[in-house]
Amino acid sequence: MYDELVFGQIDLEEQPPISEPDRQYYFIKKCRQYVTEFEHLNGRLPKACVVTFGCQMNARDSEKLAGILQQVGYELTEDENSDFVIFNTCTVRDNANQRVYGRLGELNGYKRRNPNMKIALCGCMMQEPEVIEKLKKSYSFVNLIFGTHNIFKFAELLCATFESEGMLIDIWKDTDKIVEDLPVERKYPFKSGINIMFGCNNFCSYCIVPYVRGRERSREPKDIIREIEKLVADGVVEVMLLGQNVNSYGKNLDEQVTFAELLREVEKIEGLKRIRFMTSHPKDLSDELIQVMKESKKICRHLHLPLQSGSTRILQQMNRRYTREQYLELVQRIREEIPDIAITTDIIVGFPGETPEDLEQTIDMVRQVKYDNAFTFIYSKRTGTPAASMENQVPETQVKEGFDRLLKVVQETAREQTARHQGKIMEALIEEVNESSPGLVTGRLSNNTIVHIPGDESLVGSLVQVSLDECHGFYYLGHMVNEMQPLVDNMKG
Ligand code: SAH
Ligand code: SF4
Ligand code: F3S
């Protein structure tokens, strides 16, 4: 990353550089002038708020947006009544979209009272032409709109909003570009997401992600390793490697690398304590990966393995490219090799043509696999996807009852799975002070289970041994145990 010395050498009298990321650093410096102007006029720094919808990938993108805003000189806040507000949107299900429109209405209210306020929209939803049409027509108070492929250009676009009036729109259809080394402002000092790849090539028939995120592109292993090394030097102990299908990592690189090989390299990084990743597509999960996980001291005992449906017929319609039996067999292999692993999943209910029998098969899978947790979604029709034009769309009212039944089984299983660890001593990474009871801090076990223990701020970011005293459904109440305690003590319960 650039330091202040390099910023000093950028000459704004000259034309902006063509190459990235230099070009963006030029515009960061240019934006700084506008921020200074603002400060002189208003006697305070401008405030900026980044709001994230959607998945971890979007959360990571938001950290990049925040990084730029901070470099430019904004004071970052969580208050949407700010001088600059950006919504990083998601469109995976329709309710994500509706939330954005609702919140935009509120922003308009703030903007009426603060006419200098700038509103920006970016992210997956912006890659849909219908959305842009609607925004142009009914949300003309928005200042800046860009998409997923040109997010690296944020500094340049931000600069343009200072220099123009009205609505600025810049959407790219696709890209093969990956821009490295832009500023990032992390939400947590001790853990971080890392993109290892972008886009998706799977085209599950219900899913809009491949259309809004483009084709699969992997980052070079050396860039990933370098980024993690820097993060570790900056205090990060846990990383989450991010991709829509991490199991196909490396396939488009000139020098092909498998995901398992990448993990082996990440494992070697000194000072890094924990490695997580998501998401794993069952069709591409290799034996090599299972082996690497088994042998690893750092890879967490958690695998998110989206099932989507337990019916082979529906899986085929979904273009998931595995059967119920293949999935079960895979889970069996994983559990044999790594018995203490927690498996979580995503399930869709109400896919076109789904019958009560299909749903029974899904419920049965939940019982058989014994998920530690499952995210259940009601199917949402996404324009342009193959499933949207399938016959037999199931009305949502018809889905509700089955959905609730599935949810009950998911919760039962999750409770049982979580309770397995009652009385054990395990390592937790303390993530935050508990908001509702400030005498407690909240930690996460390797298997992703949450534990609350007595403690204060000073523990945040540290790995501690905790005793899992009381299981409360999906989380534990526990206490920290001194690592020096005699073994007999550790075995109580
Ligand atoms: N790449 C990941 C998932 C990304 S989207 C994977 O393949 O598993 C996260 C989850 O949203 C999906 O696993 C799926 O369960 C859900 N989802 C995606 N499209 C959906 C739709 N149209 N309706 C309902 N749920 C959907
Ligand atoms: Fe969507 Fe399937 Fe790609 Fe996941 S793997 S992002 S569900 S198309
Ligand atoms: Fe949503 Fe885009 Fe993620 S559609 S789930 S934010 S990749």
Side-chain angles (χ1 to χ4, degrees):
M1 201 177 292
Y2 279 33
D3 55 25
E4 287 307 314
L5 201 71
V6 184
F7 270 119
Q9 288 164 3
I10 298 174
D11 184 356
L12 295 178
E13 299 297 313
E14 285 181 19
Q15 288 300 307
I18 304 292
S19 67
E20 300 291 359
D22 304 13
R23 187 176 171 88
Q24 298 313 312
Y25 281 90
Y26 173 96
F27 283 108
I28 289 175
K29 184 160 176 180
K30 201 157 179 211
C31 285
R32 283 181 176 180
Q33 294 186 331
Y34 294 113
V35 167
T36 311
E37 243 171 64
F38 180 101
E39 201 183 353
H40 284 153
L41 277 172
N42 299 281
R44 62 171 177 92
L45 285 174
K47 289 186 183 154
C49 174
V50 181
V51 183
T52 312
F53 299 81
C55 65
Q56 314 243 11
M57 230 103 21
N58 256 21
R60 183 62 178 161
D61 283 346
S62 289
E63 294 185 343
K64 297 175 187 170
L65 299 171
I68 304 249
L69 287 164
Q70 205 202 27
Q71 281 289 328
V72 162
Y74 279 92
E75 186 189 320
L76 293 174
T77 150
E78 303 210 332
D79 183 2
E80 288 179 26
N81 192 359
S82 284
D83 302 294
F84 184 87
V85 181
I86 182 160
F87 283 180
N88 188 9
T89 63
C90 169
T91 185
V92 77
R93 286 171 290 276
D94 188 52
N95 52 12
N97 291 41
Q98 294 315 324
R99 286 213 329 270
V100 169
Y101 290 125
R103 298 268 284 271
L104 266 180
E106 283 171 39
L107 285 193
N108 196 17
Y110 297 139
K111 189 164 176 166
R112 281 206 203 101
R113 272 166 271 145
N114 175 8
N116 290 325
M117 177 179 181
K118 304 248 185 227
I119 299 174
L121 296 170
C122 68
C124 297
M125 204 175 141
M126 301 305 125
Q127 293 296 137
E128 293 180 279
E130 318 81 78
V131 170
I132 302 299
E133 285 315 307
K134 180 165 173 169
L135 290 169
K136 277 202 232 167
K137 212 167 124 210
S138 316
Y139 297 82
S140 56
F141 57 88
V142 174
N143 300 86
L144 170 64
I145 300 178
F146 57 99
T148 55
H149 303 303
N150 56 347
I151 186 167
F152 71 89
K153 263 184 81 178
F154 176 49
E156 184 170 351
L157 295 167
L158 180 65
C159 195
T161 65
F162 284 113
E163 293 166 358
S164 67
E165 291 292 319
M167 190 189 258
L168 181 71
I169 305 177
D170 188 9
I171 310 283
W172 295 7
K173 280 209 156 54
D174 207 344
T175 186
D176 51 10
K177 221 175 169 144
I178 297 179
V179 178
E180 299 284 347
D181 293 325
L182 284 166
V184 185
E185 173 63 18
R186 291 198 313 279
K187 188 167 171 208
Y188 297 95
F190 53 87
K191 69 170 185 177
S192 178
I194 316 275
N195 300 105
I196 62 165
M197 57 210 295
F198 301 94
C200 180
N201 284 354
N202 290 302
F203 291 95
C204 302
S205 64
Y206 50 80
C207 183
I208 199 162
V209 172
Y211 304 88
V212 295
R213 285 271 172 177
R215 292 297 61 71
E216 188 178 290
R217 285 151 285 144
S218 296
R219 283 175 75 196
E220 290 290 341
K222 64 168 177 16
D223 291 333
I224 297 169
I225 301 293
R226 195 168 50 125
E227 183 178 352
I228 301 177
E229 282 171 349
K230 275 199 201 144
L231 287 168
V232 170
D234 197 32
V236 165
V237 291
E238 179 180 299
V239 291
M240 164 89 84
L241 309 181
L242 299 170
Q244 295 297 351
N245 175 13
V246 292
N247 297 326
S248 70
Y249 170 79
K251 286 186 181 155
N252 71 324
L253 291 173
D254 292 340
E255 260 179 73
Q256 287 207 3
V257 187
T258 65
F259 179 54
E261 283 163 354
L262 176 72
L263 280 173
R264 279 211 183 91
E265 292 307 307
V266 177
E267 173 103 17
K268 288 182 199 153
I269 298 175
E270 224 167 288
L272 180 66
K273 305 277 197 243
R274 281 182 166 186
I275 305 167
R276 299 184 184 277
F277 53 83
M278 95 187 311
T279 299
S280 277
H281 196 305
K283 79 177 165 63
D284 296 313
L285 199 146
S286 66
D287 284 336
E288 187 196 10
L289 175 64
I290 301 176
Q291 221 42 47
V292 169
M293 285 185 82
K294 180 181 174 176
E295 288 160 16
S296 169
K297 299 266 182 299
K298 296 185 182 175
I299 301 175
C300 289
R301 286 334 196 204
H302 173 218
L303 188 66
H304 187 62
L305 195 64
L307 169 70
Q308 313 301 2
S309 167
S311 150
T312 297
R313 192 179 67 85
I314 294 293
L315 284 170
Q316 199 181 9
Q317 296 284 306
M318 287 178 161
N319 191 30
R320 288 292 287 180
R321 287 173 280 176
Y322 52 84
T323 63
R324 167 191 179 81
E325 289 73 25
Q326 282 167 333
Y327 186 99
L328 271 175
E329 192 267 332
L330 176 64
V331 167
Q332 208 174 358
R333 254 187 295 147
I334 296 166
R335 289 218 193 273
E336 255 163 40
E337 296 295 326
I338 318 164
D340 56 346
I341 199 150
I343 300 181
T344 57
T345 203
D346 291 345
I347 295 170
I348 298 176
V349 181
F351 183 84
E354 188 180 73
T355 63
E357 291 74 38
D358 292 317
L359 184 66
E360 276 320 305
Q361 296 215 348
T362 302
I363 293 178
D364 180 63
M365 275 299 258
V366 174
R367 291 212 168 94
Q368 284 200 50
V369 176
K370 297 197 174 69
Y371 290 110
D372 288 77
N373 200 0
F375 299 99
T376 47
F377 305 109
I378 290 180
Y379 167 75
S380 170
K381 188 170 167 177
R382 308 316 289 134
T383 313
T385 61
S389 48
M390 285 180 186
E391 284 168 19
N392 315 321
Q393 301 280 330
V394 189
E396 203 166 314
T397 46
Q398 218 169 299
V399 173
K400 195 74 186 82
E401 190 259 337
F403 181 83
D404 290 344
R405 219 147 40 84
L406 169 70
L407 197 60
K408 257 183 86 185
V409 179
V410 162
Q411 288 172 347
E412 272 165 35
T413 324
R415 275 205 189 89
E416 280 168 30
Q417 285 297 105
T418 310
R420 286 188 297 171
H421 305 295
Q422 175 94 34
K424 285 188 195 161
I425 291 184
M426 288 176 141
E427 189 184 66
L429 174 59
I430 305 302
E431 299 193 336
E432 56 201 1
V433 175
N434 193 310
E435 266 176 32
S436 42
S437 31
L440 296 177
V441 290
T442 302
R444 194 179 293 271
L445 305 178
S446 167
N447 66 19
N448 216 33
T449 300
I450 294 294
V451 56
H452 304 288
I453 62 167
D456 60 29
E457 182 86 48
S458 66
L459 284 176
V460 172
S462 44
L463 283 153
V464 298
Q465 296 292 321
V466 296
S467 163
L468 304 174
D469 302 328
E470 285 170 39
C471 183
H472 287 247
F474 309 110
Y475 66 90
Y476 276 95
L477 283 182
H479 70 278
M480 193 159 92
V481 292
N482 187 337
E483 274 174 85
M484 303 303 283
Q485 248 171 347
L487 195 65
V488 267
D489 243 44
N490 284 357
M491 289 167 77
K492 82 176 167 212

